[in-house]
Amino acid sequence: MKVKNSNPPDGGYGWVVVVSAFMVMGLTAAVLKTFGLFFVEIQQHFDELASTTSWITSVTIAIFHLGAPVASSLCVRYTHRAVAITGGLLAFSGMALGFLGLSMVWMYATTGFLQGLGISFSWTSAISIVSHYFSKKRALANAIASAGECAFAFTFGPFFQWLISQYGWKGALLIIGGIQLNICVCGVLMRPLASSCLLEASYSEAETPPGNGASMIDKEDKSPITHKTFNWMLVRRPEFVLYAIFGILAAMSFFVPPLFLVPLSYSLGIDESWTASLLSILAMVDFAGRLLCGWYANLHVTKTVHLLTMTITLISTSLMLLPLANNYLSLAIFTGFYGFFFGTTVAVHITVLADVVGMPDFDSALGLFMLIRSTGGFVGPPLAGLIVDMAGDYRAGFYMAGATLVLSAGFLVTLDQLQQRKERGSQSNIKPEKSTLPYPSLHLLKFQ
């Protein structure tokens, strides 16, 4: 029986998948990024406190992370295409039902829970299938796909504001939900592709025993099914644990700068209109950083984990320097450095995860990594806020974020050392092949 060639094509139809993932990133993560534009409108409509209204976004973010293992498990059990389409329908349902605006609890359940679950399913399946379609060009493909978040966020801000002014916040939610239905179209384009590692497993099993045609057919048909389970045991692998700890510490830092950048600029006496431009600068350089780092990683000049360690170090340096700004120009320059290096980090961190666990366990690892990383996202902003309150200065939050990233880089160094030690150990265990001839003297006789 001929086994269908399922090696990662590293191009061809894979670029269609990348474009689809680019769109999905924009229709999920970018919508979540700019949802704050609805904050005041919803708060005034229900006449609620800011803390009560903020739970809508909090629920969305929580479900986005908590749903990742479920989404990964469904990708393993079914297909990325099915999960992405389901996510698009859930995201639309969350916005369409939120249009009714019955109560604040209703908003938690619709634009909070349903929207968060839809984003989780769509985002996880999209970023996962890109890694399955690419091997040598995986870093570049992931960078292009993730750049959709920046490209859409840059345009969604003014577009959503216009929708609210023209149709009200309820009408805007319904229109955005309709736009998110395009996730289903992108999902249809995500043609299933079996992992190359499963193909290799089927070949290796098919070759033993030789000459047994029936056995070969059975094993070719059944070997991929043995991997169709979610691997929860990844938490026992030291490499994955080290990378997960890095993810927690990095997430503690990444959510802090966008939170305190605007208040810091106000404290410096910068005009409100100029402050808004800082967010645009952040989005543009983030976009450039993702594409440039993806292109560089594709050259394979530097090992991906080394590249990630360098970008994390540069981010921490830029965060330590950013509080030194005392006017708009210096603040814009340091913000640009932070945004660029943040983009480079996002471009390669999923690729490093694939390198750490291997493609057979990548879907499971992605879900677990998102789940574990969420703890850092939840703890980081409140901890930074506490430090800011104690210090009485917004600069303290940036120092905290920079110091946490330095600590996270230490775990990447430890991970790299562990991987190198294992590689040296595997090489030392390779023994030279012994002669198959019974007597060494026969070698001489053969050439006489």
Side-chain angles (χ1 to χ4, degrees):
M1 179 179 178
K2 185 179 180 180
V3 181
K4 181 181 178 181
N5 186 3
S6 57
N7 284 314
D10 269 312
Y13 191 81
W15 294 117
V16 177
V17 175
V18 169
V19 173
S20 300
F22 179 93
M23 299 290 293
V24 170
M25 295 299 107
L27 296 172
T28 55
V31 170
L32 181 58
K33 259 186 175 181
T34 51
F35 193 77
L37 294 170
F38 291 87
F39 184 87
V40 175
E41 300 290 335
I42 295 175
Q43 180 187 3
Q44 292 177 350
H45 178 83
F46 292 106
D47 192 23
E48 293 284 357
L49 297 173
S51 58
T52 304
T53 308
S54 65
W55 273 103
I56 298 176
T57 303
S58 297
V59 170
T60 307
I61 295 174
I63 298 302
F64 168 49
H65 286 90
L66 294 175
V70 179
S72 294
S73 180
L74 291 174
C75 287
V76 172
R77 181 65 180 83
Y78 301 102
T79 63
H80 298 83
R81 170 186 284 172
V83 177
I85 293 174
T86 303
L89 294 174
L90 287 171
F92 164 74
S93 300
M95 288 296 197
L97 293 173
F99 160 78
L100 301 175
L102 301 180
S103 65
M104 188 59 73
V105 175
W106 178 262
M107 300 303 294
Y108 295 158
T110 55
T111 55
F113 181 84
L114 285 179
Q115 176 71 195
L117 194 61
I119 290 175
S120 181
F121 278 29
S122 305
W123 186 94
T124 304
S125 57
I127 205 69
S128 175
I129 195 171
V130 169
S131 293
H132 281 283
Y133 260 88
F134 289 85
S135 177
K136 295 179 180 179
K137 299 179 182 178
R138 185 175 295 148
L140 178 61
N142 278 325
I144 296 174
S146 67
E149 176 185 339
C150 306
F152 278 73
F154 184 76
T155 56
F156 274 177
F159 177 59
F160 286 3
Q161 194 66 62
W162 179 82
L163 286 177
I164 294 172
S165 64
Q166 294 294 317
Y167 304 100
W169 69 270
K170 289 185 178 181
L173 284 182
L174 185 60
I175 293 172
I176 294 170
I179 294 173
Q180 285 185 308
L181 275 176
N182 287 288
I183 295 174
C184 298
V185 179
C186 297
V188 171
L189 296 175
M190 295 177 185
R191 190 166 64 195
L193 175 70
S195 170
S196 60
C197 58
L198 301 185
L199 179 69
E200 292 170 2
S202 65
Y203 276 134
S204 62
E205 290 183 4
E207 289 172 357
T208 307
N212 191 340
S215 176
M216 178 161 46
I217 293 174
D218 292 340
K219 290 177 180 178
E220 285 176 351
D221 290 338
K222 293 179 180 179
S223 58
I225 301 176
T226 60
H227 294 277
K228 289 293 184 179
T229 56
F230 192 88
N231 187 6
W232 295 96
M233 292 299 102
L234 285 170
V235 294
R236 294 185 178 182
R237 290 174 56 175
E239 299 93 337
F240 178 77
V241 171
L242 287 171
Y243 197 69
I245 296 174
F246 153 75
I248 294 173
L249 295 172
M252 287 179 63
S253 306
F254 288 159
F255 289 93
V256 173
L259 186 64
F260 294 119
L261 181 61
V262 172
L264 176 62
S265 65
Y266 287 157
S267 68
L268 295 175
I270 298 174
D271 186 74
E272 189 173 319
S273 59
W274 286 102
T275 299
S277 67
L278 292 175
L279 300 178
S280 298
I281 293 173
L282 196 63
M284 287 188 293
V285 295
D286 184 356
F287 181 83
R290 297 187 193 212
L291 294 183
L292 287 176
C293 186
W295 168 79
Y296 178 77
N298 189 58
L299 299 178
H300 301 287
V301 176
T302 307
K303 192 176 178 181
T304 52
V305 68
H306 295 167
L307 184 59
L308 181 59
T309 306
M310 287 189 292
T311 60
I312 288 294
T313 304
L314 291 170
I315 291 179
S316 62
T317 303
S318 62
L319 286 177
M320 293 291 193
L321 294 175
L322 192 146
L324 300 178
N326 54 12
N327 54 46
Y328 173 79
L329 180 60
S330 58
L331 187 60
I333 292 173
F334 288 129
T335 298
F337 278 121
Y338 162 73
F340 180 83
F341 294 127
F342 174 80
T344 60
T345 299
V346 175
V348 296
H349 82 288
I350 295 297
T351 303
V352 175
L353 176 63
D355 293 340
V356 168
V357 301
M359 288 312 299
D361 292 319
F362 176 71
D363 290 318
S364 302
L366 180 60
L368 286 174
F369 179 74
M370 288 290 294
L371 177 64
I372 296 171
R373 189 184 69 171
S374 66
T375 58
F378 296 144
V379 173
L383 178 60
L386 178 63
I387 294 174
V388 167
D389 291 337
M390 293 174 62
D393 191 343
Y394 289 111
R395 293 178 176 86
F398 292 92
Y399 289 129
M400 170 263 179
T404 307
L405 281 176
V406 171
L407 183 60
S408 71
F411 284 92
L412 288 178
V413 173
T414 305
L415 169 63
D416 181 49
Q417 293 296 320
L418 179 61
Q419 288 181 317
Q420 290 185 17
R421 191 181 305 119
K422 286 194 172 184
E423 289 175 3
R424 289 193 297 267
S426 62
Q427 291 175 359
S428 63
N429 289 334
I430 299 176
K431 298 179 180 179
E433 294 183 2
K434 295 182 179 180
S435 173
T436 56
L437 296 174
Y439 301 104
S441 58
L442 292 178
H443 287 284
L444 299 174
L445 294 173
K446 185 177 179 180
F447 293 99
Q448 288 180 353

